[in-house]
Amino acid sequence: MVNQAESLRILAIHAHPDDVEIQCAGTLARLKKLGCHITIATMTAGDCGSAEMGPVEIANVRRAEAQKAADMLGAEYMCLEFRDLAIIVDNESRRRVTEAVRKARPDIVLTAPPVDYMSDHEMTSRLVRDACFGASAPNYTTHEYQPAPPTEKIPHLYYVDPIEGCDYFGNPIEPQFIIDITETFDLKIKMLACHESQRAWLRKQHGLDEYLDGTERWSASRGKQIGVDYGEAFVQHCGHPYPHSNLLQELLEK
């Protein structure tokens, strides 16, 4: 399995800078240790993520924070340059995400869950699902000046946890499986700490002042479900014609 991993490409794509770090950075770190190539992508640059800085200024800050976090992992980083609270499902958006998938050429995609606390997350989930399907269709054009070629296959697709593992009404959403990230949890937290601008924003907008502690508590909660210190939960998309073999879990089983 290690030899197989060295040839695999992983794309983790979520709505905003810091979403990937909160929900699946520990898993990405384990995949990186196996030799996988990792790309982290954010739909937006986080242009609404400040009460003090304007959209251009905070977007520049947050892109730099996202790049710093990706560098800690040894991953590539790309931003698709959507705007916060303005991710919608339409053909232009679908083409943009499809182009990103074609550039990354992933065997495994990790993305936002279909149900979460805000629209940007849910629209990301839908667009990534569609892009994974369309990326291998030669006649689906992305209208880019120098487009990446179509992919050879539909990748394995996985959804990360919704925030706090709940739907809109606070009801728990049960994951399909949980990955032990105990050995990579410290790196996950260091990557999340790169997003320094978000502590002030979360105090202002969400009334939270526990950015890192909250992530630790939730990771510990998921870990407890499988008898380890820290975990990250996933659900695999197994609708027709996506791959049904659980490649992610197979790679990380001990």
Side-chain angles (χ1 to χ4, degrees):
M1 193 61 70
V2 172
N3 291 336
Q4 178 190 9
E6 291 175 352
S7 67
L8 294 178
R9 300 176 64 85
I10 315 298
L11 171 62
I13 176 170
H14 210 310
H16 312 110
D18 77 13
D19 285 332
V20 164
E21 286 79 357
I22 291 171
Q23 302 297 64
C24 62
T27 298
L28 293 179
R30 286 197 59 191
L31 291 167
K32 182 66 176 179
K33 284 187 174 184
L34 291 178
C36 298
H37 179 279
I38 311 291
T39 299
I40 296 173
T42 61
M43 297 286 278
T44 84
D47 57 287
C48 286
S50 177
E52 291 78 28
M53 290 180 272
V56 173
E57 184 180 3
I58 186 58
N60 288 336
V61 169
R62 296 197 70 190
R63 281 191 209 93
E65 291 172 342
Q67 184 67 64
K68 182 179 179 181
D71 289 345
M72 291 189 72
L73 182 63
E76 294 187 15
Y77 170 68
M78 71 169 86
C79 179
L80 277 62
E81 301 299 339
F82 287 86
R83 294 293 173 262
D84 282 351
L85 302 177
I87 302 173
I88 59 171
V89 176
D90 62 10
N91 282 328
E92 180 183 353
S93 301
R94 190 176 291 110
R95 289 187 178 101
R96 196 186 311 186
V97 181
T98 299
E99 182 66 23
V101 171
R102 287 175 174 172
K103 286 179 179 177
R105 315 200 72 74
D107 299 284
I108 295 174
V109 174
L110 312 179
T111 195
V115 175
D116 210 342
Y117 79 102
M118 69 171 302
S119 176
D120 279 355
H121 291 203
E122 295 180 340
M123 298 303 102
T124 295
S125 183
R126 172 65 185 275
L127 287 167
V128 173
R129 187 196 77 185
D130 289 352
C132 288
F133 181 92
S136 60
N139 288 346
Y140 186 68
T141 59
T142 60
H143 297 174
E144 293 289 323
Y145 177 64
Q146 293 182 316
T151 57
E152 291 77 24
K153 60 190 176 184
I154 295 173
H156 290 73
L157 176 61
Y158 297 88
Y159 302 119
V160 302
D161 254 341
I163 295 297
E164 298 180 346
C166 294
D167 65 15
Y168 312 119
F169 308 106
N171 299 314
I173 293 177
E174 289 301 315
Q176 181 184 347
F177 63 98
I178 297 170
I179 296 295
D180 179 2
I181 62 160
T182 303
E183 66 182 55
T184 56
F185 180 75
D186 286 347
L187 178 56
K188 170 188 175 79
I189 288 296
K190 289 176 182 177
M191 290 173 65
L192 182 56
C194 291
H195 297 273
E196 297 175 6
S197 68
Q198 289 311 283
R199 184 182 179 197
W201 167 244
L202 290 176
R203 285 203 306 266
K204 176 74 173 181
Q205 174 71 5
H206 293 199
L208 299 174
D209 192 16
E210 50 175 23
Y211 195 35
L212 303 181
D213 290 345
T215 298
E216 180 171 8
R217 281 198 305 274
W218 182 247
S219 299
S221 176
R222 282 306 195 201
K224 185 177 181 181
Q225 292 180 251
I226 58 170
V228 301
D229 291 342
Y230 299 108
E232 290 173 342
F234 298 90
V235 172
Q236 184 175 6
H237 185 96
C238 288
H240 176 81
Y242 295 77
H244 287 196
S245 61
N246 194 338
L247 180 57
L248 179 62
Q249 191 172 26
E250 291 170 5
L251 284 168
L252 298 178
E253 280 182 345
K254 292 186 176 180

